[in-house]
Amino acid sequence: MSPSITPLALAVLHLLGERPMHPYEMQQLIKLRYIDQVVKVAHGSLYHTVERLAASGLIEPMETSREGRRPERTVYAITESGRDQATDRLCELIARPTREYPSFKAALAFITTLTPGKVSELLVRRSVELEVYLAKHTTLIDTLTKQGLHRINLIDIEHVLAQYRAELDYVRDLREDIDSGRLTWTPGVTRRSFPAPPTEEHR
């Protein structure tokens, strides 16, 4: 069952591994600890994840309380099965690279739809955005380090920073190749194609 544990589900299990809590508290801790910088938390997705984990027996409700006119809040605790499967999934995610499908990679696959000049212009804009992201995450790491946070608590943000740096270097190199004429194509004519795989008789 561990492959069905999404990054958000893993975050929930990790938090409940510290102590029982209700989803609202989890949501606040996810923001406070910048977990939302590395885990996608869409509107309502946290509560849906909690419900799914409870239905799977990985977490269980402990108590439900109400304060004033606020909605009822259910406190959840992790089960032994939840601990085991969270550990298994974490080990799997660390040890095995998974195929991901970022939208930028998809855009690069169909880049010949546009002119080289247009692509160069767009890459300049992307470089600026990446520089902003880099500055933001560098400042975040510096600030949290000065506040006494140990590096082990920042390695996920470090990884994000490394990815932005690598992408910025690639985007700059790609634009340089386009501007210099080392990489060129004809829009509407150049197609994404590769040699046909060898047939059995030619292997």
Side-chain angles (χ1 to χ4, degrees), residues 126-198:
R126 189 176 188 90
S127 296
V128 172
E129 292 288 338
L130 287 169
E131 288 169 356
V132 171
Y133 291 152
L134 273 170
K136 174 183 174 182
H137 283 78
T138 300
T139 300
L140 176 60
I141 289 177
D142 290 344
T143 299
L144 294 175
T145 300
K146 289 176 181 177
Q147 291 176 356
L149 207 62
H150 294 291
R151 184 186 172 199
I152 189 60
N153 297 309
L154 299 171
I155 56 175
D156 52 336
I157 303 177
E158 276 186 1
H159 185 255
V160 172
L161 194 61
Q163 287 183 311
Y164 283 143
R165 284 181 180 142
E167 184 176 326
L168 180 58
D169 288 342
Y170 177 79
V171 167
R172 285 172 172 169
D173 289 344
L174 181 60
R175 178 174 174 259
E176 184 178 336
D177 287 343
I178 292 173
D179 290 349
S180 67
R182 290 191 295 270
L183 177 63
T184 187
W185 64 87
T186 303
V189 176
T190 305
R191 293 287 186 267
R192 180 179 174 86
S193 59
F194 299 90

Side-chain angles (χ1 to χ4, degrees), residues 1-199:
M1 185 183 292
S2 60
S4 65
I5 297 178
T6 64
L8 181 54
L10 191 61
V12 170
L13 293 170
H14 176 78
L15 292 173
L16 292 181
E18 298 178 5
R19 67 178 187 277
M21 61 183 76
H22 50 72
Y24 179 77
E25 186 178 4
M26 297 179 212
Q27 196 169 45
Q28 296 306 304
L29 285 175
I30 285 173
K31 292 180 180 179
L32 182 65
R33 298 181 183 179
Y34 299 99
I35 296 173
D36 57 347
Q37 296 292 316
V38 293
V39 175
K40 184 176 181 180
V41 187
H43 179 70
S45 60
L46 176 63
Y47 289 87
H48 175 73
T49 297
V50 168
E51 291 174 358
R52 185 171 61 83
L53 290 173
S56 300
L58 303 185
I59 65 175
E60 59 186 1
M62 289 187 63
E63 60 177 309
T64 300
S65 62
R66 181 194 298 271
E67 295 180 10
R69 296 183 178 180
R70 293 180 179 178
E72 286 187 345
R73 289 182 178 175
T74 301
V75 173
Y76 291 89
I78 191 170
T79 63
E80 284 303 313
S81 176
R83 289 183 189 277
D84 292 341
Q85 293 201 37
T87 299
D88 290 345
R89 182 58 169 155
L90 179 59
C91 291
E92 183 179 18
L93 289 174
I94 292 173
R96 295 179 57 189
T98 56
R99 181 177 295 181
E100 298 175 344
Y101 300 90
S103 55
F104 183 51
K105 288 183 181 179
L108 291 177
F110 311 117
I111 205 170
T112 56
T113 302
L114 306 174
T115 65
K118 182 63 176 179
V119 172
S120 176
E121 173 190 329
L122 295 171
L123 290 176
V124 170
R125 290 164 55 182
R126 189 176 188 90
S127 296
V128 172
E129 292 288 338
L130 287 169
E131 288 169 356
V132 171
Y133 291 152
L134 273 170
K136 174 183 174 182
H137 283 78
T138 300
T139 300
L140 176 60
I141 289 177
D142 290 344
T143 299
L144 294 175
T145 300
K146 289 176 181 177
Q147 291 176 356
L149 207 62
H150 294 291
R151 184 186 172 199
I152 189 60
N153 297 309
L154 299 171
I155 56 175
D156 52 336
I157 303 177
E158 276 186 1
H159 185 255
V160 172
L161 194 61
Q163 287 183 311
Y164 283 143
R165 284 181 180 142
E167 184 176 326
L168 180 58
D169 288 342
Y170 177 79
V171 167
R172 285 172 172 169
D173 289 344
L174 181 60
R175 178 174 174 259
E176 184 178 336
D177 287 343
I178 292 173
D179 290 349
S180 67
R182 290 191 295 270
L183 177 63
T184 187
W185 64 87
T186 303
V189 176
T190 305
R191 293 287 186 267
R192 180 179 174 86
S193 59
F194 299 90
T199 61

